[in-house]
Amino acid sequence: MKLILLGPPGAGKGTQAKFLQEKFHLAHLSTGEMLRALVASGSELGKKAQEIMSNGQLVSDDIMVDMIRDRIKQDDCKNGFILDGFPRTIAQAEALDEMLESEGKRLDHVIEIRVNDEEMVNRVAGRYACDKCGEGYHDQYKQPKVSGVCDVCGSKEFTRRKDDQPETVKRRLESYHAQTAPLLPYYKKSGVLKGVDGMADISDVTQQINSIVSH
Ligand code: AP5
């Protein structure tokens, strides 16, 4: 199964991708995580990406398309994959179609997680993750069972993303509406687009997605 999760910053793409990855044994391809790894490497390309990301803008299509072209060839993608954060422009979507078509493959589902912009700024600004294992938490919606201790690995160190400051989140939302939302009519035309209510509880959103991908 090959699917895309589409939605603005904070819609819950990463949260839902992790559930799908476990349930259906799919590779989770998050371009945001790939870029953050590139930034952490300290390379020249990573430095350029950091500047763009901290301004809430999009990294160039060429870089992103090459990154995904290499990634989907890897062994763990043979059973299928979930794209989280890619494509983000029409040019990226067209390049993905070409990549899949050249191997006789196609997308099974594009799922739009629908949310309100106002709520997204709060959601993203309240988010943090375990430093050691990356498990995600939220000040309001998902706190560790024992305060200050990661549920998964027991670490007591947590971090917040640099691009999660409210002003940067607003710019990321603007980029979404200007450059990524045009993908909705693009995928509607090809008949693969479905929508879920992303304002519902996390488990409810998971159920909505499961019922789409299980049919
Ligand atoms: P990326 O890392 O992809 O960020 P994003 O798309 O802005 O998405 P987020 O990770 O912020 O949100 P999410 O939808 O995954 O929500 P989450 O599950 O974490 O990209 C970062 C940057 O990299 C971009 O700005 C761009 O610069 C660059 N980039 C990446 N891909 C690119 C590309 N293809 N082209 C060009 N540039 C690219 O949930 C958020 C919080 O809400 C969590 O705390 C979670 O617990 C909570 N939550 C989730 N669901 C619910 C719910 N239903 N109810 C209550 N709380 C919930």
Side-chain angles (χ1 to χ4, degrees), residues 7-16 30-33 35-36 52-53 56-60 64 84-88 92 123-124 126-128 136-138 141-142 161 163-164 172 198-202 205:
K13 304 181 293 294
T15 303
Q16 298 301 331
S30 158
T31 42
E33 280 177 21
L35 285 167
R36 284 185 284 281
I52 295 166
M53 290 163 77
Q57 293 164 337
L58 297 186
V59 174
S60 81
M64 301 315 301
D84 159 9
F86 184 95
R88 259 180 154 97
Q92 291 180 17
R123 248 198 218 176
V124 173
R127 157 174 77 176
Y128 59 99
Y137 295 97
H138 193 278
Y141 308 119
K142 188 188 163 201
R161 268 168 53 178
D163 60 347
D164 280 351
R172 286 163 57 199
M199 300 308 292
D201 286 348
I202 293 178
V205 180

